[in-house]
């Protein structure tokens, strides 16, 4: 005889099964088809939705084909680094959409609409990242609303110009170390061939270690190696369709990512605790980013009666330190490597930049005030950032129905601000959009863009990258010191292969021949 308990259990199980079946059906098919209908009714075009995978298989396949071999020595890099999205744009129009699994992503290339997205940062928020990807980098870059505002206010003082000025000796020391290594590699004729990419990564790592944590690159080597491995694992995870709950499966990749995260957290926790103890003991704050961050955090809490809720927790500080490590190293090293590649290819611009550096500094070490007089170097760096932006695109998510230009985007859609497509758009930059021409920035960014938001290598709006000045100062110092001592050209072994792996990197390195200059 069937008992009442059995009936209740059966009813509950049936209800749960039906509920979850409906949710899965809605997530995997009904909602995507509804979103597709809304987008098409507004004139947007794209492939029809394919169950679960969307365009992901094609995206991965196209990327694999594009990155299978180097390209000709050209700055028209979009077909290699953004192959599928460029093809979609050509086939369906600039404001088309692609499918990332069950989520439609609308590509936005109109500068006015991009500006609108940046300025409405509370409406167009950062994506809810795959939780495993957050193991690589989290902190300020992924926070929203009041949390973001609180962190930004606490961190801001560490990036003021007067604080960055104090860090100048650290930048100089890191560059001295790099140059010293290159000098030991020179042959009897004063030249050598070297893959500058790992050296520039080390330079940026060393600089961020000294300026952020007051430690040398050697001391931070282990964290950097772990972060590099984590970035590779993150790339693997991000190219797969996200399935809720999948991250809990103990796959070798998942296990290793969590091991690295625990390792990095332990190292950073020890570092932070030592600083906290020193602060409590009344020791002077160190003039590095971590010291300034902790000082600002303590002041914020003291202003509110030592209320810890208004400040950052240990967990918060750890995440910001991971972000210092990753963003500080990645952005600057990428900017420097493409600058050296382009100056190798355009010796006239290299000579102009060197002449300016020697005019401003002579053979002396760069000083902070002199950096503002490096007009040609600044033009060159801006043109490098245009052609080879460290981050190639910025995705945003729509949590509620939003009006954007002539479009009404429903909740559940993503917008895709394609930096690399906009930066290479001939309608915005002219027929020479794919040509290295620093002269276009001779009267500044505003004049070069005709007042449009068509140049945004560091993002834009209230959430523009907090480390922008840090990266540009470090890059100017490094390039100035390299130009003072070396001329350089591409090696015959150089293979031109820009590839987007978190940031835009040279897939096969950057083999360059250095020539020591007579001083």
């Amino acid at each position: 005889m069937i008992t009442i308990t059995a009936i209740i259990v059966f009813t509950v199980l049936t209800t749960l099964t039906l509920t979850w079946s409906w949710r899965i059906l809605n997530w995997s098919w009904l909602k995507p088809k509804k979103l597709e209908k809304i987008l098409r009714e507004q004139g947007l075009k794209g492939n029809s939705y394919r169950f679960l995978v969307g365009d992901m298989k094609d995206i991965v396949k196209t990327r694999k084909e594009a990155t299978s071999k180097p390209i000709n020595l050209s700055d028209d890099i979009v077909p290699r680094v953004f192959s599928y999205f460029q093809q979609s744009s050509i086939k369906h129009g600039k404001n088309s959409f692609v499918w990332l699994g069950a989520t439609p992503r609308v590509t936005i290339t109109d500068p006015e609409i991009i500006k609108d997205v940046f300025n409405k940062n509370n409406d167009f928020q950062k994506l809810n990242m795959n939780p495993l990807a957050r193991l690589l980098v989290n902190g300020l870059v992924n926070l929203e609303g009041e949390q973001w505002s609180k962190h930004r206010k606490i961190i801001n003082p560490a990036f003021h110009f007067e604080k960055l000025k104090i860090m100048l000796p650290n930048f100089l020391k890191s560059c001295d170390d790099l140059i010293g290594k290159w000098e030991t590699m020179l042959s009897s004729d004063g030249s050598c061939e070297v893959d500058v990419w790992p050296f520039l990564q080390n330079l940026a790592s060393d600089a961020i270690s000294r300026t952020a944590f007051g430690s040398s690159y050697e001391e931070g080597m282990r964290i950097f190696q772990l972060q590099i491995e984590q970035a590779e694992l993150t790339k693997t995870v991000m190219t797969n369709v996200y399935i809720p709950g999948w991250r809990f499966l103990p796959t070798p990749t998942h296990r290793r990512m969590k091991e690295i995260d625990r390792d990095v957290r332990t190292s950073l926790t020890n570092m932070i605790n030592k600083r906290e103890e020193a602060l409590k003991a009344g020791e002077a704050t160190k003039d590095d980013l971590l010291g300034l961050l902790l000082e600002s955090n303590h002041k914020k809490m003291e202003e509110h009666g030592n209320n810890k809720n208004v400040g950052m927790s240990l967990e918060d500080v750890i995440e910001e330190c991971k972000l210092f490590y990753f963003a500080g190293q990645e952005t600057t090293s990428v900017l420097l490597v493409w600058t050296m590649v382009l100056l190798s290819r355009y010796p006239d611009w290299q000579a102009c930049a060197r002449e300016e550096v020697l005019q401003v500094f002579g053979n002396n070490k760069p000083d902070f005030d002199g950096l503002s007089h490096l007009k040609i170097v600044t033009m060159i760096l801006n043109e490098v950032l245009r052609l080879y932006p460290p981050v190639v695109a910025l995705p945003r998510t729509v949590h509620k129905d939003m009006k954007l230009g002539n479009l009404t985007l429903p909740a559940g859609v993503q917008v895709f601000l394609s930096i690399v497509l906009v930066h290479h758009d001939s309608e915005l930059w002219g027929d020479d959009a794919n040509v290295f021409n620093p002269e276009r920035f001779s009267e500044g960014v505003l004049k070069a863009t005709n007042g449009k938001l068509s140049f945004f290598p560091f993002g834009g709006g209230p959430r523009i990258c907090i480390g922008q000045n840090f990266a540009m100062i470090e890059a100017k110092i490094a390039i100035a010191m390299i130009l003072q001592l070396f001329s350089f050209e591409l090696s015959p072994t150089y293979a031109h292969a820009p590839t987007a792996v978190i940031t835009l990197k040279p897939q096969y390195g950057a083999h360059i021949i250095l020539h020591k200059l007579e001083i």
Side-chain angles (χ1 to χ4, degrees):
M1 185 175 181
I2 299 174
T3 64
I4 294 177
T5 302
I7 293 172
I8 293 172
V9 170
F10 176 78
T11 303
V12 169
L13 289 175
T14 302
T15 302
L16 286 173
T17 301
L18 290 173
T19 299
W20 278 105
S21 297
W22 167 254
R23 287 181 179 179
I24 291 170
L25 176 64
N26 186 54
W27 169 75
S28 64
W29 184 256
L30 298 179
K31 183 180 178 182
K33 294 302 289 183
K34 179 183 177 182
L35 293 176
E36 181 179 355
K37 182 173 182 289
I38 294 171
L39 294 178
R40 292 195 186 283
E41 285 174 348
Q42 297 181 75
L44 291 171
K45 296 179 180 179
N47 291 332
S48 295
Y49 171 64
R50 285 169 283 182
F51 184 67
L52 281 182
V53 296
D55 294 325
M56 284 301 295
K57 284 185 178 179
D58 292 339
I59 291 172
V60 172
K61 179 184 176 184
T62 307
R63 174 185 166 81
K64 188 175 180 180
E65 290 173 355
T67 57
S68 63
K69 58 185 178 180
I71 58 174
N72 293 331
L73 207 54
S74 161
D75 298 318
D76 183 11
I77 66 169
V78 176
R80 191 176 204 276
V81 303
F82 233 47
S83 50
Y84 190 82
F85 293 92
Q86 184 193 44
Q87 290 172 20
S88 176
S89 179
I90 292 170
K91 181 180 178 181
H92 299 296
K94 282 190 174 181
N95 289 353
S96 55
F97 62 88
V98 300
W99 291 96
L100 295 192
T103 303
R105 175 177 278 184
V106 179
T107 300
I108 303 294
T109 57
D110 185 317
E112 285 303 311
I113 297 180
I114 290 170
K115 183 179 179 180
D116 203 21
V117 172
F118 280 138
N119 288 333
K120 295 177 179 176
N121 60 298
N122 287 325
D123 295 320
F124 296 95
Q125 298 185 355
K126 297 289 185 78
L127 302 188
N128 290 322
M129 291 175 63
N130 183 321
L132 287 168
R134 287 180 180 269
L135 297 179
L136 172 65
V137 60
N138 205 1
L140 190 67
V141 71
N142 287 321
L143 295 176
E144 296 292 349
E146 290 183 9
Q147 276 289 93
W148 171 82
S149 181
K150 178 174 78 171
H151 281 228
R152 182 88 179 202
K153 286 175 183 176
I154 292 171
I155 297 169
N156 256 336
F159 287 91
H160 286 169
F161 265 111
E162 63 271 18
K163 300 298 184 184
L164 296 177
K165 190 173 183 179
I166 296 170
M167 298 175 192
L168 184 68
N170 288 320
F171 289 130
L172 296 175
K173 180 67 173 68
S174 297
C175 292
D176 270 337
D177 288 351
L178 168 72
I179 288 167
K181 290 172 185 175
W182 283 352
E183 286 179 325
T184 64
M185 299 170 67
L186 297 172
S187 60
S188 57
D189 66 352
S191 68
C192 68
E193 179 179 331
V194 60
D195 179 3
V196 299
W197 172 230
F199 285 93
L200 294 173
Q201 286 179 296
N202 287 358
L203 163 67
S205 299
D206 186 72
I208 198 66
S209 282
R210 295 180 195 277
T211 55
F213 308 110
S215 62
S216 69
Y217 173 72
E218 284 73 18
E219 291 173 50
M221 176 73 82
R222 189 161 162 275
I223 289 180
F224 284 119
Q225 288 175 333
L226 289 170
Q227 288 291 78
I228 289 168
E229 184 184 350
Q230 192 78 296
E232 287 298 320
L233 294 170
T234 300
K235 180 188 75 170
T236 302
V237 167
M238 295 297 285
T239 54
N240 296 325
V241 175
Y242 176 65
I243 300 174
W246 183 259
R247 63 191 169 105
F248 295 110
L249 294 180
T251 67
T253 297
H254 294 174
R255 286 201 304 270
R256 181 58 186 152
M257 291 183 78
K258 289 171 183 177
E259 284 172 8
I260 292 172
D261 185 58
R262 285 193 295 270
D263 228 337
V264 170
R265 284 175 180 278
T266 299
S267 297
L268 290 174
T269 299
N270 292 337
M271 194 183 300
I272 293 164
N273 285 339
K274 287 178 183 177
R275 293 295 189 91
E276 290 278 13
E277 289 168 10
L279 272 175
K280 290 175 183 176
E283 293 182 22
T285 304
K286 292 185 179 180
D287 289 322
D288 54 33
L289 292 176
L290 177 58
L292 295 168
L293 167 61
L294 292 175
E295 181 184 46
S296 178
N297 194 36
H298 277 275
K299 283 182 179 178
K300 188 77 174 175
M301 289 188 288
E302 285 174 359
E303 288 170 5
H304 293 80
N306 289 320
N307 183 352
K308 291 186 177 181
N309 292 326
V310 301
M312 290 165 59
S313 65
L314 173 63
E315 177 68 20
D316 292 336
V317 176
I318 287 172
E319 292 301 337
E320 298 304 342
C321 285
K322 286 167 65 180
L323 185 57
F324 284 165
Y325 261 117
F326 181 76
Q329 191 268 355
E330 286 281 315
T331 304
T332 310
S333 60
V334 165
L335 172 55
L336 286 172
V337 75
W338 294 121
T339 301
M340 288 199 71
V341 167
L342 284 162
L343 290 183
S344 295
R345 290 171 51 201
Y346 296 90
D348 289 347
W349 279 107
Q350 183 183 150
C352 286
R354 180 176 295 105
E355 184 180 343
E356 179 182 66
V357 168
L358 294 175
Q359 185 179 350
V360 174
F361 300 120
N363 293 321
N364 298 319
K365 295 284 175 63
D367 59 73
F368 200 83
D369 294 333
L371 296 178
S372 61
H373 296 291
L374 297 179
K375 180 182 176 182
I376 293 172
V377 170
T378 302
M379 288 161 51
I380 289 169
L381 290 174
N382 280 335
E383 182 69 341
V384 174
L385 286 168
R386 186 184 74 83
L387 290 169
Y388 296 83
V391 177
V392 296
L394 297 169
R396 296 289 186 267
T397 190
V398 181
H399 291 293
K400 60 182 179 181
D401 293 358
M402 287 296 303
K403 184 76 174 172
L404 189 62
N406 296 323
L407 300 173
T408 299
L409 298 178
V413 168
Q414 293 178 8
V415 294
F416 199 49
L417 311 182
S418 176
I419 301 174
V420 73
L421 282 179
V422 174
H423 282 195
H424 286 255
D425 190 337
S426 58
E427 291 182 16
L428 296 170
W429 294 97
D431 293 338
D432 66 343
N434 290 316
V435 177
F436 179 69
N437 178 20
E439 193 64 40
R440 71 178 86 243
F441 288 101
S442 61
E443 296 181 60
V445 172
L446 195 64
K447 183 74 173 177
T449 59
N450 294 316
K452 297 178 180 178
L453 192 62
S454 53
F455 179 72
F456 51 104
F458 294 98
R463 293 195 68 138
I464 192 166
C465 177
I466 196 171
Q468 178 179 202
N469 291 330
F470 181 99
M472 291 300 285
I473 288 169
E474 183 183 345
K476 285 182 183 180
I477 291 170
I479 288 298
M481 291 180 68
I482 291 169
L483 288 169
Q484 283 177 320
L485 294 167
F486 298 99
S487 65
F488 41 93
E489 60 184 317
L490 286 184
S491 163
T493 62
Y494 173 75
H496 195 48
T499 184
V501 183
I502 312 297
T503 51
L504 188 63
K505 300 172 181 177
Q507 186 174 346
Y508 304 115
H511 295 268
I512 285 174
I513 298 173
L514 301 172
H515 301 278
K516 184 70 183 293
L517 296 171
E518 297 291 336
I519 299 177

